[in-house]
Amino acid sequence: SKEEQILKIVAILFFLFILGSLASAMYYLVKDKGQSTRAVKALTLRIGLSIVLFALMMLGFYLSSTPTT
């Protein structure tokens, strides 16, 4: 259904943002040689996005809008 498609697209977008945040943290870690807090902020953002994605997936299962197979 349309709701399932929207949920899949949102999940994929969140996953891509999580990967982007992880890549930026790696970049900042290498570029700043660990002397800056930019890598920590990027990793904190990644954790926040992961928690939101997990919550959205749980809500989807709870509302039965996500297929279980």
Side-chain angles (χ1 to χ4, degrees):
S1 75
K2 187 171 181 157
E3 292 174 353
E4 291 175 0
Q5 291 290 57
I6 291 172
L7 187 59
K8 286 180 185 179
I9 291 171
V10 168
I12 290 170
L13 287 174
F14 264 90
F15 187 69
L16 290 174
F17 290 142
I18 290 167
L19 287 177
S21 178
L22 187 61
S24 69
M26 185 177 71
Y27 172 77
Y28 291 140
L29 188 63
V30 170
K31 181 175 163 70
D32 298 339
K33 296 181 176 44
Q35 300 300 317
S36 168
T37 61
R38 293 192 299 180
V40 174
K41 289 177 184 175
L43 290 173
T44 303
L45 176 64
R46 184 188 67 86
I47 291 170
L49 289 172
S50 298
I51 291 171
V52 171
L53 177 60
F54 181 75
L56 286 174
M57 296 304 291
M58 292 302 293
L59 181 65
F61 282 118
Y62 179 73
L63 297 177
S64 299
S65 63
T66 304
T68 57
T69 58

